[in-house]
Amino acid sequence: MLLPFIVLIGAMFLMTRSAKKKQAQAAEMRNQLAPGTGVRTIGGMYATVKEIGDETVLLEVAPGVHAVYAKNSIGAVLEDSEYNRIVHGDEPGEVVPDDASSLTEAAEETTEDVKADLTKKTDAAEGDKDGKADGGTEAK
């Protein structure tokens, strides 16, 4: 009779302990906030931190558009490279050409090297001894 109560109290202790760890990690993450840092809110919006208050954060959600959020609404503090990859589509190490000319130059080089053979093939025509061209068959 005492065993179920012990198991129940142990399970409650483990659940509250893990919840406290998560809260401590979230508080530590929110302490890392600094102006210019990229963040993701719990609603999934990406923004840049402009100002930090005691309980609020001023976020720039678009160029020139500012909104005040509670600190608790910050879901993640992102590194600069990750924020730029998500928001601006920047891929590390990827070089994007200014125009399409560099893409067409490679195609032009390959077409110039290969010349089309437009000469008539006489060996194939002589190979047909029964007078049928292109593998034609007689209907029965």
Side-chain angles (χ1 to χ4, degrees):
M1 179 112 162
L2 189 60
L3 183 64
F5 288 117
I6 294 173
V7 171
L8 182 63
I9 291 172
M12 289 175 53
F13 173 74
L14 290 175
M15 285 190 286
T16 57
R17 183 175 165 210
S18 65
K20 285 181 181 179
K21 282 184 180 180
K22 287 181 183 179
Q23 287 177 350
Q25 288 175 346
E28 181 181 334
M29 182 242 342
R30 288 186 190 105
N31 289 336
Q32 294 176 356
L33 288 176
T37 306
V39 296
R40 183 183 69 233
T41 65
I42 57 174
M45 182 172 49
Y46 294 91
T48 304
V49 176
K50 287 299 176 183
E51 293 179 14
I52 302 169
D54 292 334
E55 296 294 320
T56 60
V57 178
L58 180 66
L59 299 178
E60 184 176 30
V61 295
V65 179
H66 297 88
V68 178
Y69 281 82
K71 274 189 177 179
N72 293 339
S73 67
I74 303 299
V77 177
L78 306 173
E79 294 180 12
D80 289 337
S81 60
E82 183 180 5
Y83 180 78
N84 289 331
R85 181 184 60 80
I86 293 169
V87 175
H88 303 296
D90 296 343
E91 292 294 330
E94 182 178 327
V95 177
V96 180
D98 291 339
D99 58 1
S101 64
S102 64
L103 300 175
T104 57
E105 288 172 1
E108 289 174 3
E109 289 174 2
T110 57
T111 56
E112 289 174 3
D113 294 342
V114 178
K115 300 290 183 184
D117 186 18
L118 301 176
T119 59
K120 189 173 182 180
K121 305 244 187 236
T122 57
D123 295 339
E126 291 175 8
D128 294 329
K129 294 183 180 177
D130 57 356
K132 297 175 199 140
D134 296 325
T137 60
E138 292 181 22
K140 291 185 180 181

